Amino acid sequence: SSRWWQLSQVVVSSEASNMVANADSLFLVVGDKCLRLDAATGETTATYEMPPSNAKDTKKRTWGYLACVGDTLFGSRSAAPRTAECLFALDLATGSVRWSHNGKSIPHSSISIGDGQVMFIEMAATPEQRQAVLKEKIAQAEKLVGAERLQAEKDLKAAAVRQVVALDAATGKAVWAKAMDL
């Protein structure tokens, strides 16, 4: 049982699980690869590779997020704990890349798949998006005085404005994106 613990993610709530199953297989992430194990025998039937990084740095990349929906294996490539720099979809039968989406600090815990879409949060919002999202709160803060205004300005600086994104699960093309104060 100690070996089983070594194969599992320790902080699943923020890292994402490294195991998922479908009707006939268990998929298990080990470092930068995903192994497909036959559910009946435990034999490795396939090894999946994540798309390579275009970054010129030498940081080690690992497979973060993992999901299997129909004939597609979804994953994320990570250079830092808890976040992805790339989401991707692989053909389950061949392992070939169907699509990849390079993003900016995508928390693994924000990735969801449903109704033919992959939805997630990107931590980066442009200054213009931030201004537009907080426009009403900025106007309200400008009407305040003294300590109330200082607190409102402090709250505005700390506002968690993020980009919420939906991709088509089959193609990886953007369906919609919206900056929000989360």
Side-chain angles (χ1 to χ4, degrees):
S1 79
S2 64
R3 182 163 186 230
W4 177 255
W5 179 253
Q6 292 170 354
L7 293 174
S8 62
Q9 297 278 14
V10 176
V11 191
V12 174
S13 63
S14 60
E15 256 320 306
S17 177
N18 65 332
M19 294 180 279
V20 69
N22 68 7
D24 62 1
S25 300
L26 172 68
F27 300 86
L28 178 65
V29 168
V30 180
D32 62 351
K33 294 179 178 28
C34 178
L35 305 178
R36 182 177 189 173
L37 307 178
D38 182 282
T41 67
E43 295 296 318
T44 300
T45 59
T47 300
Y48 300 94
E49 309 246 349
M50 58 187 181
S53 170
N54 294 331
K56 296 185 180 4
D57 63 51
T58 59
K59 288 183 184 174
K60 181 182 176 186
R61 271 38 181 203
T62 58
W63 191 308
Y65 180 82
L66 177 66
C68 182
V69 179
D71 65 350
T72 305
L73 189 65
F74 294 92
S76 70
R77 186 181 63 235
S78 301
R82 298 183 297 279
T83 59
E85 63 185 20
C86 173
L87 297 180
F88 55 86
L90 305 179
D91 181 277
L92 203 55
T94 66
S96 63
V97 177
R98 289 192 171 160
W99 57 262
S100 65
H101 170 85
N102 290 314
K104 294 180 180 161
S105 192
I106 301 166
H108 292 138
S109 60
S110 77
I111 304 167
S112 299
I113 302 172
D115 290 336
Q117 295 182 342
V118 177
M119 295 157 276
F120 55 91
I121 294 170
E122 288 195 79
M123 300 303 278
T126 67
E128 295 79 19
Q129 289 170 326
R130 185 176 180 75
Q131 186 78 14
V133 166
L134 297 174
K135 183 178 180 180
E136 188 176 311
K137 288 182 180 179
I138 292 169
Q140 289 172 354
E142 289 172 349
K143 294 176 186 174
L144 300 173
V145 293
E148 287 180 329
R149 183 172 182 149
L150 290 174
Q151 183 60 48
E153 289 172 352
K154 184 179 176 182
D155 293 344
L156 283 169
K157 286 181 183 175
V161 176
R162 306 291 188 251
Q163 186 82 342
V164 181
V165 180
L167 305 179
D168 182 281
T171 66
K173 291 186 177 160
V175 175
W176 56 264
K178 181 178 182 177
M180 298 179 72
D181 180 4
L182 303 179

